[in-house]
Amino acid sequence: MNALRKVKNAMFPPPAYSEDGRAQWPSRTSFLLASMGGAMGFGNMLRYPSQVYNNNGLQWFIPYFIAISCLAIPLLILEIAIGQAHRSGTVIAYNALDKRLRSVGLSMVFTGYCICVYYVPLLAYVWVYFRNSFRPAPFAWTDRIEDFYYNDVVHQKAKVEGVISGSSVESYASYPNTGVSGELIGWTILSWLIIWLCINKGVSITGRVVYFTIGLPIIMTIALVGRAVSLENAGRGVKLYFGEWHSSKLASGKIWQDATGQVFYSTGVGFGYFTAYASYNSQFASAVQDSVIICISNALYEIIAAFIAFGVVGYMNMMPQEGGEEMGTYTLGFLTYPVAIDQMPAAPFWAIVFFLTLLLLGISSSYAMLDGMVTVLCDSEFGRKYKHITVASVAAVVSCLVSFMYCTEFGYDLLNATDAWANNVALLFAAFCECYGATTVYRWVDVVGQVGGPSFGIYNFGYLGGLFIGCVIAHSVTPEAGAGVGFGIFIVCTIIAVLIARTPDTIVPGYFSKNAILKRLWWLAFYQGNQLRRDLNVTVAVGNNWSIPWFWSILLRYVGAPVLGIIFSFSYPTFYPDRSDSLQVWGFFVAHCVVFVAVAGFLLPRFLKVLVPTERRSEGKRSYAPNVILGSNDIRVSAGVEEGGQGSEGDSGSDDKMKLEK
């Protein structure tokens, strides 16, 4: 027993702890790999190549890289920086920004959890293919791929269609077949057991298993790429990916919407696990550099992995046709790839490698999403009474039981419905609240104190009202009309807000200090996001660390939030034709539970205080302190107040602090 204990401690030693007593990653590499594991999954291996196929050509990379630079990286910096600075999961981290933002943190982990409990049954589908790969050709799916997938894997049964008469629903679709697949139940239990093993003792074990769950898929992906591009006629598919240019597609909104959606979903922002993982990092680690590394690594992985798909596309002569059917994520993963592998030499070997790669990527994404929820529970007032392994065990068991509903004969349709609305409504809304809350709610007291409440209210009405009304008109009239009305409302409200505002009596940086109008505009439009940047830089930009740049908050507030809001608006028109399907209604309802949590928690933050330890609840109560830099625990730090955008040391910080205390 002693020998076994020594081996166990050598492989999975007890966690190291930071000076504040919080568990810490074994190394920076383990943190980066775990974060990359959360991001890398089916979205990279299956969704990305299908999106590129539907928008084939090098022009795809223009909106793709713009979205990475202007949306993914800024949002990831926010999530990692606040987790690292405030040493906690999403709820406490966002409470530290403002008590009304507790609900934003909760909505993020709620979204991640909703996706996690159907993501694991999706892994069960992969397990079925993986099991059937251990047999010599022909495979079980040979010459019957659709029959195998729909009948032998997902066990889908026909539904009774709903009836829509005019604008009303006469009857809702029903699913009379409610049988359960024993095999899917078994694979789901096994998947949850593996996930539990990966997180049950916190980052001490997660920080070591990531070398396997991420390192091995990368190696196998490289092998699969080599095999795919060496297939007969693979060059034609690769040319479709990297050798064609269709500039006319850039004039269409579809490619921009698809590229933005792909970057957002594949990066993994909005689920809450980046904040959780960052909280176990060193408090003074380089959050900005880590965010850039994670985003670029994720993008490189999916760009390289897509050569597998396009090698197969050329091999099977699946050239896209004008007006033809688009390729879907599940179509590529469970129908196209298996058929292609079946036709390769040494097919069983490549089938095992491919489906094992999908399994490992899916498992790493799943335990990251569950870990976000577990961290919130462990950090809470009641969760601190229990060991991490207890909380993780209860979470895994409950999640496993919830996942069983996706292993039924109606489970595939339920999974598709939940997947669509969790991603298109819940995730987008949670991420929008992140961008907006961090740059508009944070330190709002300072803005009201400087320019007045009416001015602050009118400006933000123009921002939100313009976005909302503009989207409504865009869908009901024309996109051009919606854009014109939306921008018009924002501009008019901005002018009114600036004109009625009081003239600020504090320092305003650079260009905006020239006159009273520009000073007011600075406080209304830029102060809060810029102040968050300065406050976070106290922690994340020490020494030689990269600092959060000045334009970061502008991207969050005036690029990220509006783009997410516009994409979010596209979800509602798509629900209308499906409103007679009871499972679609269920998925729509679950997604809006996230919206309800975010809005209700914002209006009534006291109901979420149980998720915040007593000694940390006061962090979310902001006092009037214009231009004063706050540390991670709301302590005025010795760096003082920046003047003209530059930090000033010495007596200025102390003088301002004394004035505030008076």
Side-chain angles (χ1 to χ4, degrees), residues 363-440:
I363 287 170
S364 63
S365 295
S366 299
Y367 68 65
M369 287 185 280
L370 185 64
D371 230 353
M373 174 69 78
V374 169
T375 299
V376 166
L377 295 175
C378 288
D379 288 345
S380 66
E381 182 71 25
F382 63 87
R384 295 191 302 177
K385 302 173 184 177
Y386 305 97
K387 293 183 179 179
H388 186 282
I389 190 172
T390 302
V391 177
S393 300
V394 172
V397 171
V398 171
S399 303
C400 183
L401 294 175
V402 174
S403 291
F404 287 167
M405 64 181 176
Y406 297 104
C407 301
T408 59
E409 291 175 334
F410 62 85
Y412 180 72
D413 296 286
L414 178 61
L415 188 152
N416 280 319
T418 309
D419 176 58
W421 298 113
N423 283 286
N424 296 335
V425 171
L427 180 58
L428 290 173
F429 188 79
F432 171 83
C433 291
E434 279 189 87
C435 295
Y436 183 76
T439 57
T440 304

